[in-house]
Amino acid sequence: MSLRSPLGVVLGRGTGRNAVHHWWVQRMTALALLPLTIWLLAGLVRLPLTDFATVTAWISLGWNPVLMSLLVFVLCWHSNLGIEVVVEDYVHSPAARTLVLVLSKFAHILLGATGIYAVLHIALRS
Amino acid sequence: MVIGNAPGVASISRAQAVGSHTKKMSARPLSPHLSVYRFAYTMALSILHRITGLLLSLGLLVLIYWLMSASLGELSYGSAVTVLSAPLFRILLLGWLAAFAFHFCNGIRHLFWDVGVGFEKHQARASAWVVVIAALLITAGAGYLLLGPGTVAP
């Protein structure tokens, strides 16, 4: 049996709440991506993808800009969460781990902002 | 008798365990050491979920590139189409499609596990086959429609 106090054992291991939140958001983004990615794939297979006018008209049509922006947002979020889990499992040096995690987060935010800006630009121009 | 104070294997390994514990007090729990398990194909699906996930993160760049080129106008969209319909890129796109199909189907399997459904060994093995076959069908079907003959004009 250990003489360490229960508090001493758990100190420095982070809070349980963060991990549960991470797990939960990863599942919720996964759930949201099921209909969104089916919607994108169903749209892509029916479009003549080489035709600029038809493609941009489809992106601007009805609710499509909203769905496309949401898709980009949730994809970036889910991707960032997934990469976080993989990096935390395989990158052991604290400095390298923090650097990779921060770079990944910045890259995902940049990608998401770029994608949503592009969708709005297409939708509001036509 | 296993329980007791005899200086057997159990007490030695316990002493070692306590020693290594105090040595690395700040060490956090590690992932299980996979090399101690006999290989099962469900493990291949598990690691493939991570690999396809990482590949899809790269594929995200292509989606954003496609959207950005469309937002910049007809000329840049044309050059993006030229890049994306090059033979090498068609192979890559098919790979991304396969990665998506697998990650999508296996992700549904994981979501069922998360609510406690299908955890039995025989169920997990059966659902593994369902995932692989469904992913192959989606890849073949969508691949034909997206990249098949007459879809991407040269």
Side-chain angles (χ1 to χ4, degrees):
Chain A
M1 89 158 257
S2 167
L3 293 176
R4 305 183 67 205
S5 73
L7 180 64
V9 172
V10 298
L11 271 183
R13 289 178 187 271
T15 64
R17 197 168 264 271
N18 281 341
V20 172
H21 181 250
H22 193 282
W23 185 92
W24 180 250
V25 176
Q26 196 171 28
R27 268 63 185 179
M28 288 307 101
T29 50
L31 205 57
L33 284 174
L34 295 182
L36 286 171
T37 52
I38 290 178
W39 166 78
L40 177 68
L41 199 60
L44 289 182
V45 296
R46 281 178 301 152
L47 278 175
L49 287 173
T50 50
D51 183 0
F52 172 77
T54 315
V55 168
T56 49
W58 178 76
I59 293 174
S60 320
L61 183 73
W63 285 89
N64 286 358
V66 178
L67 292 176
M68 189 69 92
S69 306
L70 261 181
L71 174 67
V72 168
F73 179 73
V74 184
L75 268 182
C76 288
W77 197 355
H78 187 78
S79 168
N80 183 60
L81 292 170
I83 286 179
E84 269 176 5
V85 172
V86 173
V87 168
E88 283 165 0
D89 275 357
Y90 301 124
V91 182
H92 296 303
S93 138
R97 180 190 300 185
T98 306
L99 183 70
V100 174
L101 288 177
V102 169
L103 286 179
S104 161
K105 183 156 272 180
F106 282 0
H108 279 101
I109 292 171
L110 180 66
L111 270 182
T114 310
I116 292 170
Y117 166 77
V119 173
L120 294 180
H121 193 255
I122 295 165
L124 298 176
R125 182 185 47 197
S126 45
Chain B
M1 284 293 284
V2 181
I3 307 161
N5 292 329
V9 178
S11 63
I12 290 169
S13 63
R14 178 167 164 74
Q16 282 170 343
V18 170
S20 69
H21 175 70
T22 44
K23 234 182 284 167
K24 295 189 281 180
M25 269 196 297
S26 64
R28 300 188 175 199
L30 290 170
S31 297
H33 297 281
L34 291 172
S35 53
V36 305
Y37 297 108
R38 186 169 58 86
F39 180 80
Y41 59 81
T42 45
M43 295 158 102
L45 265 76
S46 177
I47 191 63
L48 258 181
H49 197 69
R50 286 203 155 181
I51 294 169
T52 50
L54 288 177
L55 289 176
L56 289 168
S57 290
L58 282 177
L60 193 55
L61 292 169
V62 181
L63 178 70
I64 305 297
Y65 169 64
W66 175 68
L67 286 171
M68 205 59 200
S69 71
S71 87
L72 289 174
E74 194 157 6
L75 269 178
S76 64
Y77 190 75
S79 61
V81 165
T82 310
V83 171
L84 294 176
S85 58
L88 175 69
F89 234 103
R90 286 192 199 203
I91 296 169
L92 285 175
L93 288 173
L94 191 64
W96 269 310
L97 180 63
F100 165 74
F102 176 84
H103 200 84
F104 183 91
C105 297
N106 201 45
I108 295 175
R109 182 165 169 252
H110 274 276
L111 287 173
F112 272 108
W113 283 341
D114 290 337
V115 293
V117 176
F119 254 137
E120 296 298 325
K121 236 186 242 177
H122 70 276
Q123 292 172 322
R125 285 177 186 157
S127 60
W129 282 107
V130 173
V131 162
V132 169
I133 290 165
L136 286 175
L137 288 177
I138 293 173
T139 308
Y144 182 79
L145 291 173
L146 283 173
L147 303 157
T151 48
V152 188

